[in-house]
Amino acid sequence: MVRETMLSPADLIWPLFVTEGEAVEEPILSLPGVSRWSVDQIVVRAAEAIDLGIPCIALFPNTQPERRSEDGEEALNPDNLMCRAIRAIKQAHGDAIGVLTDVALDPYTSHGQDGLIDDAGYVLNDETVAVLVDQAINQANAGADIIAPSDMMDGRIGAIRKALEMNGHPNVQIMSYAAKYASAFYGPFRDAVGSSGLLKGNKKTYQMDPANSDEAMREVAMDIAEGADSVMVKPGLPYLDIVRRVRDQFDVPVFAYQVSGEYAMIEAAAAAGAGDRDALVLETLMAFKRAGCSGILTYHAALAARLLNG
């Protein structure tokens, strides 16, 4: 009766990795308990989310090496892995589950960067934005409910919002990765989407310095002004102060991503007997809500929902 913060399955978004094939499950070694799933199995996971009361799933493709290129052209293919997964989910489940899609080029580039690069290896902002706009429209055409640009290019939110309006998708939402830090916690995710061994250089020229918080407020303000419906802070637990500042300063939904490295640490602690997995999961997710999150992307979504459902 006196609890100030409540957590429910409705607060969770479940990130899922899609791979080629049929009836495929590929366990990800650096993410114990997480797998890549073929499209038919992603549809099953979506049904599981519906049954658990999870309102949205987030899709990330594991694009095969032969489909990767310097310019990430596969991102624009209307029959790529992401688009096939979106259509299959919507055909099977309609509006019973929300589908959030990642907009960035790192799952499609042969160099592992989130955008197009020049001869010196620097990411080209404006040229990348033009491709991201087409990628977003491609996903919206397939049936995505929420477009989530994770690339951190300047100006891409305004460009994507304008393109969505002009292409008949005024109701597709944009969840901007507005404060995405150049973090050491992303390693297992890059394994999951197949970009870790490909990455040339680093992403510090466009992702944020972990030492900066005022910069995050400026980035969030710009994305909201350009038309973002909601914003995200990534990673999660090390940046709860940023979540709180965004919540206090802006009147939009604020999400956080409990990223792969955070998930892996909880799993490692539980495996080592350093803590009870269920208790660790629920306590950390409660911390996100207490800090002001409207929702949390977490690989522990299904486990947490089962625990919360009793």
Side-chain angles (χ1 to χ4, degrees):
M1 293 176 63
V2 297
R3 174 164 279 197
E4 299 173 11
T5 304
M6 303 299 292
L7 179 69
S8 80
D11 297 314
L12 307 176
I13 297 175
W14 190 6
L16 294 168
F17 297 103
V18 193
T19 194
E20 295 287 355
E22 187 173 350
V24 172
E25 177 184 359
E26 296 175 349
I28 302 166
L29 295 181
S30 55
L31 280 173
V34 177
S35 296
R36 304 181 194 93
W37 304 93
S38 53
V39 170
D40 59 306
Q41 295 303 302
I42 285 289
V43 172
V44 176
R45 300 285 78 71
E48 183 180 352
I50 293 168
D51 290 343
L52 289 169
I54 297 170
C56 187
I57 58 175
L59 300 180
F60 298 92
N62 178 246
T63 305
Q64 298 303 300
E66 63 272 14
R67 293 188 176 273
R68 291 174 174 264
S69 60
E70 286 286 313
D71 60 4
E73 182 180 10
E74 180 66 9
L76 310 184
N77 178 3
D79 200 38
N80 66 24
L81 190 55
M82 176 75 89
C83 291
R84 281 185 277 128
I86 298 167
R87 289 195 298 267
I89 293 164
K90 286 302 177 181
Q91 183 176 3
H93 303 300
D95 292 333
I97 188 76
V99 176
L100 181 152
T101 55
D102 177 58
V103 172
L105 297 184
D106 53 324
Y108 306 97
T109 55
S110 54
H111 46 72
Q113 292 286 357
D114 289 23
L116 308 181
I117 60 174
D118 62 16
D119 292 340
Y122 289 100
V123 171
L124 301 166
N125 189 93
D126 293 354
E127 293 85 345
T128 296
V129 168
V131 180
L132 297 175
V133 167
D134 290 342
Q135 181 185 13
I137 296 304
N138 191 33
Q139 294 176 356
N141 287 341
D145 298 295
I146 306 171
I147 299 294
S150 65
D151 56 283
M152 289 296 286
M153 299 297 120
D154 293 334
R156 90 276 202 215
I157 299 301
I160 291 172
R161 171 50 65 202
K162 181 178 180 180
L164 289 171
E165 299 288 334
M166 292 177 63
N167 285 272
H169 299 295
N171 295 323
V172 173
Q173 295 186 30
I174 298 176
M175 181 190 291
S176 170
Y177 287 62
K180 182 179 180 180
Y181 285 84
S183 172
F185 285 91
Y186 299 148
F189 175 90
R190 291 172 182 165
D191 290 341
V193 298
S195 67
S196 61
L198 301 174
L199 182 60
K200 299 175 183 176
N202 58 58
K203 303 188 179 186
K204 293 182 180 180
T205 59
Y206 51 94
Q207 293 180 355
M208 288 182 53
D209 185 339
N212 293 357
S213 60
D214 289 345
E215 181 188 5
M217 300 305 105
R218 294 192 295 270
E219 294 280 358
V220 169
M222 286 190 294
D223 286 358
I224 294 172
E226 290 179 18
D229 298 286
S230 58
V231 296
M232 186 194 297
V233 175
K234 183 180 179 181
L237 285 177
Y239 298 91
L240 291 185
D241 60 317
I242 307 301
V243 171
R244 184 73 260 170
R245 286 194 64 182
V246 174
R247 164 58 68 202
D248 289 344
Q249 191 165 330
F250 301 100
D251 187 24
V252 297
V254 182
F255 293 80
Y257 199 142
Q258 188 179 43
V259 299
S260 57
E262 297 175 68
Y263 171 93
M265 288 196 304
I266 291 174
E267 289 297 308
D276 176 77
R277 176 184 285 102
D278 294 355
L280 290 169
V281 167
L282 292 182
E283 185 174 343
T284 54
L285 294 178
M286 186 66 76
F288 284 100
K289 282 298 300 290
R290 193 181 64 245
C293 280
S294 304
I296 310 116
L297 284 82
T298 174
Y299 303 101
H300 279 124
L303 169 62
R306 292 188 191 97
L307 294 172
L308 292 167
N309 288 331

